[in-house]
Amino acid sequence: MICSNCKKNTATHCIGRENGDLFLCDDCYERLGAAAGLGAEPDFFVSFLGVDGKEERQCPVCGTALSDYTRTGLVGCAHCYETFREELMPSIRRIHGKTVHTGKHPQGGGALFDLLDERNRLRAELERALKEKRMKDAEQLNRDIREISRVLYRGDFGGDGDE
């Protein structure tokens, strides 16, 4: 018998329910048992499992079901974000405040990273200008890059210094 939860491992535990038995592997049994041990009703966690006769949508790459995400808060792979996009985006927005990754910078170093990002952007633009033989634009971009580099090397970019 296959586990009713993960649908991957061999079931070693049987839990009797009113609407049919639930078969769980050791891993799923421990996870659900640990969660139930925190004071929640076991049927609460079992209600997230798609074993009540209705077929649940799964990721075509890793086989993770939406109920797995609901129960654990984890997706199985990067393709899960595409498969469950409509369901995941509201909770991602609620948790993180946005749905686009913007990177992470150390606290107090924002001005430095902004200048580094600007310099990288200008370098990419300079490369495009040179490929397109826009020499006047390239000269201006090169001057802007040099000015940013001077500010960076002098260290007076407006970041929080040691006091």
Side-chain angles (χ1 to χ4, degrees):
M1 179 72 56
I2 274 222
C3 177
S4 303
N5 182 33
C6 67
K7 295 179 179 45
K8 297 174 187 170
N9 300 326
T10 304
T12 55
H13 301 275
C14 178
I15 298 174
R17 296 181 6 182
E18 293 175 9
N19 57 352
D21 291 337
L22 178 66
F23 299 96
L24 298 174
C25 66
D26 287 333
D27 293 338
C28 293
Y29 183 79
E30 286 179 28
R31 276 198 312 263
L32 291 173
L38 294 174
E41 293 292 322
D43 286 342
F44 172 77
F45 295 100
V46 170
S47 69
F48 286 115
L49 305 175
V51 295
D52 293 332
K54 61 180 179 182
E55 193 61 32
E56 186 175 18
R57 202 167 46 142
Q58 293 183 332
C59 174
V61 175
C62 68
T64 299
L66 186 60
S67 63
D68 296 335
Y69 168 75
T70 306
R71 189 179 55 262
T72 64
L74 302 171
V75 293
C77 69
H79 296 281
C80 290
Y81 289 101
E82 296 169 20
T83 304
F84 306 121
R85 181 173 181 78
E86 290 180 19
E87 294 86 355
L88 295 177
M89 284 304 134
S91 57
I92 291 173
R93 184 175 287 112
R94 186 173 51 252
I95 292 167
H96 296 288
K98 54 189 169 191
T99 58
V100 177
H101 181 68
T102 56
K104 188 173 180 180
H105 299 303
Q107 207 171 22
L112 169 66
F113 285 103
D114 290 343
L115 284 173
L116 290 170
D117 288 343
E118 178 66 11
R119 185 175 66 175
N120 290 338
R121 186 191 67 74
L122 289 173
R123 284 181 178 168
E125 180 62 31
L126 174 63
E127 210 171 295
R128 278 193 298 274
L130 289 172
K131 282 180 184 176
E132 296 170 4
K133 300 185 192 280
R134 295 182 288 132
M135 294 305 160
K136 287 193 178 210
D137 292 340
E139 288 174 21
Q140 181 60 46
L141 289 166
N142 204 18
R143 282 193 293 269
D144 293 344
I145 291 169
R146 276 195 308 260
E147 182 57 34
I148 288 175
S149 294
R150 276 190 211 108
V151 170
L152 288 170
Y153 293 123
R154 281 194 312 252
D156 59 353
F157 46 83
D160 292 340
D162 295 328
E163 296 180 28

